[in-house]
Amino acid sequence: MSPLDVTGRNTATGPVVEVAGALDSVHAAALCQYVERLALRPGQRLVIDLSGLALCDFIGVAALLAARQHALAADADLVLAAVPTDTLRILRVTGLDQVFTIRPGIATA
């Protein structure tokens, strides 16, 4: 497995992007590039499934914010699913838990 694996699938409500490994300063660009290639439509929901995330630093959080901006620019929503405890702590400390829609479970649709 590479340090960061980003894969995706389409659902009826929009794409689900699965992130596994280290979302850090060395690898965060991979998520940004993947999300930038998504052609979102108004009303869709982009779900980023973080159930496989091993590490997330502040550059990784910036990549998640960039994904949110991409969704907002397309008039779509973004949901973070299955956020690991350490990453959730970063989001809470920075107040970003009030910016992101966060769902506890793994993205199924």
Side-chain angles (χ1 to χ4, degrees), residues 7-47:
T7 57
R9 58 189 165 85
N10 289 316
T11 70
T13 58
V16 175
V17 176
E18 297 168 347
V19 179
L23 185 59
D24 59 10
S25 59
V26 176
H27 305 103
L31 175 61
C32 290
Q33 292 165 358
Y34 188 95
V35 170
E36 286 171 4
R37 290 192 302 264
L38 294 175
L40 297 172
R41 295 186 311 277
Q44 280 190 310
R45 180 175 57 219
L46 168 59
V47 176

